């Protein structure tokens, strides 16, 4: 399977986000990346979008619904968000959406910081396999993988996609 060109899909995604911001009249949204790959994608998008705030980051380790089964990831870094996101338009960014559980955990954490005006979900890649009814508003590319295959983003510079 040929993986999409990472530079092309990040550029396409930045154009889609710009278009969406214009359509919805989102002035100065807060870009929030989900650690780790989502933060890298958010930083790349912010290079183009030039939002006022720095990219915020979420570490959803404590919000995962499999936390009691798998324990804490050894590299928990903590989240870096403004003190309040009350009434802010949030663009939530992840590298790969699969089951939807990571996004659910991220939204739970966001609401602990306040009630945003809106949350727009942007993902670099969608590989399907949903377990929850969560879909991205914008997606760079959709991949149909074989059972057992996963895609991994490494980075941050350069960003590289690999199959596992």
């Amino acid at each position: 399977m040929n993986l999409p060109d990472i530079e092309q899909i990040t550029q396409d995604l930045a154009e889609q986000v710009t278009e969406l911001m214009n359509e919805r009249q989102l002035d100065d949204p807060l870009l929030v990346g989900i650690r780790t790959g989502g933060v890298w994608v958010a930083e790349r998008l912010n290079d183009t979008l030039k939002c006022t705030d720095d990219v915020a980051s979420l570490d959803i380790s404590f919000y995962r619904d499999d936390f009691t089964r798998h324990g804490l990831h050894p590299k928990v870094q903590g989240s870096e968000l403004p003190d309040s996101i009350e009434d802010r338009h949030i663009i939530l960014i992840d590298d790969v959406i699969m089951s939807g559980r990571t996004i659910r955990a991220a939204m739970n954490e966001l609401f602990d910081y306040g009630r945003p005006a809106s949350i727009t979900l942007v993902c670099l890649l969608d590989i399907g396999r949903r377990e929850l009814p969560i879909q991205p508003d914008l997606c760079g590319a959709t991949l149909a993988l074989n059972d057992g295959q996963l895609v991994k983003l490494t980075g941050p510079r350069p960003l590289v996609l690999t199959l596992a």
Side-chain angles (χ1 to χ4, degrees):
M1 160 179 275
N2 288 333
L3 293 173
D5 178 270
I6 192 79
E7 295 303 322
Q8 185 63 52
I9 60 174
T10 53
Q11 182 180 340
D12 292 348
L13 201 52
E15 290 171 9
Q16 290 178 53
V17 171
T18 300
E19 202 172 293
L20 181 128
M21 287 170 54
N22 291 335
E23 286 173 8
R24 295 187 183 174
Q25 298 177 346
L26 302 180
D27 294 327
D28 198 31
L30 178 63
L31 300 184
V32 179
I34 300 173
R35 289 202 193 273
T36 300
V39 174
W40 297 335
V41 174
E43 288 170 345
R44 185 68 64 89
L45 292 176
N46 199 37
D47 289 347
T48 302
L49 301 174
K50 309 267 190 255
C51 294
T52 305
D53 291 316
D54 290 336
V55 170
S57 64
L58 285 177
D59 187 321
I60 59 150
S61 298
F62 293 110
Y63 289 81
R64 293 186 57 88
D65 60 5
D66 61 358
F67 176 75
T68 56
R69 277 190 264 175
H70 299 288
L72 190 59
H73 191 281
K75 295 183 180 177
V76 173
Q77 297 178 352
S79 296
E80 296 173 15
L81 285 165
D83 291 336
S84 174
I85 59 168
E86 198 73 27
D87 295 323
R88 291 287 307 265
H89 292 284
I90 305 293
I91 298 180
L92 181 61
I93 302 163
D94 202 9
D95 55 350
V96 179
I97 185 169
M98 188 172 82
S99 68
R101 292 180 182 274
T102 295
I103 305 307
R104 183 215 46 87
M107 289 193 299
N108 284 356
E109 183 171 355
L110 283 172
F111 277 91
D112 282 350
Y113 285 82
R115 184 180 186 275
S118 69
I119 299 174
T120 300
L121 178 58
V122 174
C123 296
L124 185 67
L125 297 173
D126 183 347
I127 63 169
R129 303 180 188 169
R130 288 300 182 283
E131 297 172 3
L132 299 175
I134 295 174
Q135 306 298 326
D137 295 288
L138 300 174
C139 183
T142 301
L143 298 179
L145 301 179
N146 296 325
D147 287 343
Q149 277 187 316
L150 293 174
V151 66
K152 180 161 180 59
L153 179 68
T154 55
R157 303 235 183 241
L159 291 177
V160 177
L161 288 173
T162 55
L163 272 180

